[in-house]
Amino acid sequence: MTPKSGDGHISPVRPLLVGDVIAERRVVGFAWVMRNGAVSSTHLDDRLLLDGDEHLPAPPNRPVPQTADGAQPVAAMPPADLPAHHVHAAESLDPALPERASALLDLRDTPWRPLIRPLLAAVHATGHRLWLAGGAARDLVADVPLHEVNDLDLSGTVPAGRFTDVTRQTLRALRMSEWRTTVTPSSLVCSVLPPKSDKSNNRLIEYRGLSKGGFKFPVVGSQLSEDAQYRDFAFNALLYDILDHQIMDPSGMGLDDLLGKERRFTPLNVSDDPFTQAAVIARAAKFALRWREDNPSGVVSLDLDPLKAWIVALPSALCSMLSSSQWRTLRNAYQRSIHATVQQQHEFAAMLPQPGCDLLDILIGGAK
């Protein structure tokens, strides 16, 4: 079965996807392990997860085949796993959007410029898919000036070890082998860092596979609709296909929430983890205050009703359910992302019901 990408980008290789069947068991995800003494990760670190593995305390010692040869490739290659009306031609939203997207990749003096196009080609050659995600996709669609896009976040169907392997080979071909590839074990985020740097803000690019739940350890998948369930808001679940210039809106609400008369905050994350829930509230403050600050009049119309309804359904004791280390992590992230005045922060907090208001007031009290 040969995967087809959008308007005709066809790869002769079909990778294994969640939903395929191998040895009469269904593929349910891809994990990663850190080999002792390994300098850089490779596809040998990836682990294949099959139905029935959900109870395991750690990934099984089962490698991921490089292709779907020998399996029943019954899963749809993204974005074909989404309803057709959740996939949009970029030019249908804005005729200039494909040109802007291409210009973003080639933007002068950006850290990603030397690598991104060769990397896209290298990943595509494996049959996997790679898209702009997170802030890069959101800001591109929202017509934010290109020079204000600070990070090039990527997502796709490639397991962590395979991605770092392909990236390292691409860097070597570009004579950039002094740049390092890393995988964060707790999140499976893959980063490309300059030589002798351990700071994430110096990264060339950052990649994470599509989110996947249901396991006791970090796992990635290959289904866009499931990935959306672990994003904070619908407008942050958008992905941009730079090859076919398509916008994927897995939740079906992201474009309307971002481009409507009011910026609507529709939470998507289905996690019942208190720390994850608290992080969503903190990120709501980040975006709401940033968008108000960026508006010349100082006022931007926000629709917080879906956010408020989501907060009301949270445990009333949410703040007391967080550990001291989790509070430190939240405060550090909040301080890095919020630039509004303390008064403006409290004004936004007052707009939210409990426990959201209390949580933000505590974070504001710890902010400089």
Side-chain angles (χ1 to χ4, degrees):
M1 182 176 178
T2 300
K4 182 177 180 181
S5 168
D7 294 330
H9 291 98
I10 300 175
S11 171
V13 183
R14 166 60 156 79
L16 205 60
L17 300 174
V18 170
D20 289 344
V21 176
I22 185 168
E24 300 185 352
R25 294 177 67 184
R26 188 172 63 89
V27 176
V28 294
F30 309 97
W32 179 87
V33 295
M34 180 182 292
R35 289 177 297 161
N36 292 331
V39 176
S40 298
S41 182
T42 72
H43 68 277
L44 298 175
D45 301 329
D46 293 323
R47 295 292 181 264
L48 177 64
L49 302 173
L50 303 175
D51 56 340
D53 289 341
E54 292 83 356
H55 69 283
L56 296 176
N61 188 22
R62 186 188 298 125
V64 178
Q66 298 302 284
T67 72
D69 291 347
Q72 298 177 44
V74 296
M77 172 66 71
D81 60 324
L82 293 179
H85 62 282
H86 288 188
V87 182
H88 308 265
E91 62 183 6
S92 70
L93 284 119
D94 180 354
L97 190 50
E99 184 176 349
R100 274 174 40 80
S102 295
L104 176 63
L105 300 191
D106 299 326
L107 201 60
R108 184 171 298 178
D109 297 328
T110 54
W112 58 77
R113 185 183 181 189
L115 175 63
I116 185 60
R117 287 194 181 277
L119 180 60
L120 284 167
V123 169
H124 179 256
T126 69
H128 280 288
R129 305 299 306 276
L130 193 62
W131 312 286
L132 299 182
R138 182 194 65 240
D139 291 347
L140 186 62
V141 172
D143 201 24
V144 171
L146 296 183
H147 68 273
E148 295 183 13
V149 180
N150 298 319
D151 300 315
L152 203 66
D153 294 334
L154 304 172
S155 190
T157 61
V158 201
R162 184 78 185 277
F163 179 83
T164 54
D165 206 352
V166 171
T167 302
R168 192 173 60 259
Q169 293 176 33
T170 305
L171 288 167
R172 186 180 300 118
L174 294 170
R175 297 184 179 180
M176 298 173 61
S177 56
E178 70 276 12
W179 289 72
R180 298 182 299 109
T181 56
T182 65
V183 180
T184 302
S186 61
S187 63
L188 302 191
V189 169
C190 307
S191 299
V192 183
L193 300 173
K196 301 179 181 179
S197 173
D198 59 357
K199 296 180 179 179
S200 61
N201 59 354
N202 288 337
R203 68 186 187 273
L204 196 68
I205 58 171
E206 191 169 270
Y207 166 85
R208 189 185 189 280
L210 297 176
S211 298
K212 170 75 183 176
F215 287 84
K216 299 176 181 179
F217 44 86
V219 176
V220 296
S222 55
Q223 295 177 330
L224 290 167
S225 58
E226 182 171 16
D227 175 74
Q229 296 177 21
Y230 296 93
R231 301 279 179 173
D232 50 7
F233 300 103
F235 52 68
N236 280 333
L238 298 172
L239 298 111
Y240 190 98
D241 187 330
I242 197 65
L243 292 178
D244 294 325
H245 292 289
Q246 292 180 326
I247 300 167
M248 283 85 79
D249 184 3
S251 72
M253 300 178 287
L255 287 173
D256 287 341
D257 286 5
L258 183 65
L259 303 177
K261 292 183 179 179
E262 296 180 312
R263 288 274 171 90
R264 186 166 58 237
F265 285 66
T266 304
L268 297 180
N269 201 302
V270 298
S271 174
D272 58 2
D273 172 56
F275 176 74
T276 300
Q277 295 169 341
V280 170
I281 297 171
R283 284 176 63 78
K286 166 187 172 179
F287 292 114
L289 293 167
R290 176 193 296 176
W291 286 333
R292 289 188 171 193
E293 183 180 14
D294 290 346
N295 188 278
S297 65
V299 177
V300 64
S301 184
L302 305 176
D303 180 358
L304 300 177
D305 287 346
L307 174 64
K308 292 177 180 178
W310 179 81
I311 291 175
V312 166
L314 297 179
S316 58
L318 178 66
C319 292
S320 64
M321 298 167 70
L322 301 173
S323 68
S324 57
S325 63
Q326 289 175 330
W327 274 113
R328 283 195 299 272
T329 300
L330 282 172
R331 284 195 177 98
N332 290 337
Y334 186 83
Q335 291 175 18
R336 288 194 304 269
S337 63
I338 301 294
H339 304 289
T341 67
V342 171
Q343 179 179 344
Q344 290 170 330
Q345 295 175 52
H346 280 298
E347 288 174 353
F348 176 75
M351 298 171 66
L352 302 183
Q354 299 297 356
C357 181
D358 274 352
L359 185 136
L360 286 182
D361 281 340
I362 293 172
L363 292 178
I364 295 166
K368 295 181 181 178

